[in-house]
Amino acid sequence: MPLLFPSDDALDVRQRYKPDIIKGDMDSVRTEVLDFYTNLGTKVADESHDQDTTDLHKCVAYIRDFTPNLDKSNLCILVAGALGGRFDHEAGNLNVLYRFSTMRLILLSNDCLIYLLPSTHHHEIYIQSAVEGPHCGLIPIGMPSASTTTTGLQWDLNNTKMGFGDLVSTSNLVQGEKVTVQSSSDLLWTISIKACNG
């Protein structure tokens, strides 16, 4: 968090954005970090007995289970630092998007964001051009897409078949403020994030 607010004192930022809970198998958290947040009142839930799910899966399940139903319709979970490390961890994080496909989850890195576009919906993606784009992609992970149609991209798809070992829409470019996507299978949407100059 302090990296997001470089002009603020790091300790102030850590205290201001204190987590309610630290949940996971605790294999990568330093003791001094746990002690710091425990002293601020953060709960710690050691889930080291569960090695069948990732830490992100455990946290998303916690949010799902403990968010009142009234609030879930507008719930969007932003996962900072979800990309850019070990590929097996990234693949695990992508799998969480599929495991919780009825929730809005966005994986963020320093240079892009990724979220799932379920095939059950026609998607309208509004581009915030001051902070994202123009590079984007649509990736059919899990199963091929027999038909994908888009508008708003430099290389639009028109009932196009996509799949690994076949066409995958990478290195595309957004052309305006809105992109539409309709697909016969779930797709990952990815778009570049612009560097902050402030």
Side-chain angles (χ1 to χ4, degrees):
M1 288 302 293
L3 296 176
L4 297 175
F5 303 95
S7 61
D8 293 1
D9 178 70
L11 181 60
D12 289 343
V13 172
R14 286 185 182 99
Q15 290 175 336
R16 188 176 345 140
Y17 296 100
K18 174 188 79 74
D20 295 324
I21 188 167
I22 297 173
K23 189 175 183 71
D25 60 17
M26 306 299 155
D27 64 343
S28 58
V29 65
R30 296 187 320 269
T31 303
E32 63 269 18
V33 172
L34 277 180
D35 291 344
F36 175 82
Y37 286 111
T38 300
N39 289 333
L40 290 177
T42 296
K43 295 179 207 167
V44 175
D46 184 339
E47 298 275 334
S48 56
H49 64 280
D50 176 7
Q51 293 298 308
D52 292 334
T53 61
T54 64
D55 289 346
L56 178 58
H57 183 282
K58 292 171 178 74
C59 291
V60 172
Y62 178 85
I63 292 168
R64 177 200 61 205
D65 295 343
F66 291 97
T67 300
N69 285 334
L70 198 59
D71 297 335
K72 285 185 184 164
S73 62
N74 291 320
L75 181 66
C76 180
I77 300 172
L78 301 175
V79 184
L83 307 164
R86 283 180 21 205
F87 179 72
D88 61 326
H89 284 179
E90 290 180 345
N93 290 341
L94 294 174
N95 188 53
V96 169
L97 294 177
Y98 283 85
R99 295 284 301 265
F100 295 92
S101 62
T102 60
M103 296 178 69
R104 291 177 53 212
L105 297 165
I106 299 174
L107 306 181
L108 296 168
S109 74
N110 291 337
D111 57 8
C112 73
L113 63 82
I114 297 175
Y115 57 89
L116 185 68
L117 301 178
S119 62
T120 55
H121 296 79
H122 173 84
H123 300 276
E124 293 185 350
I125 303 165
Y126 292 91
I127 307 302
Q128 305 298 317
S129 60
V131 294
E132 62 183 346
H135 298 92
C136 64
L138 289 163
I139 304 169
I141 292 184
M143 65 182 293
S145 170
S147 175
T148 300
T149 299
T150 66
T151 63
L153 301 177
Q154 181 165 346
W155 296 284
D156 274 321
L157 305 171
N158 185 8
N159 294 317
T160 304
K161 177 183 172 192
M162 290 197 305
F164 279 92
D166 203 344
L167 175 73
V168 176
S169 179
T170 61
S171 298
N172 211 327
L173 298 168
V174 296
Q175 291 296 293
E177 296 179 359
K178 184 171 93 169
V179 171
T180 65
V181 180
Q182 181 69 53
S183 183
S184 63
S185 71
D186 297 346
L187 300 175
L188 292 177
W189 166 256
T190 183
I191 189 166
S192 58
I193 297 175
K194 296 178 180 177
C196 178
N197 295 325

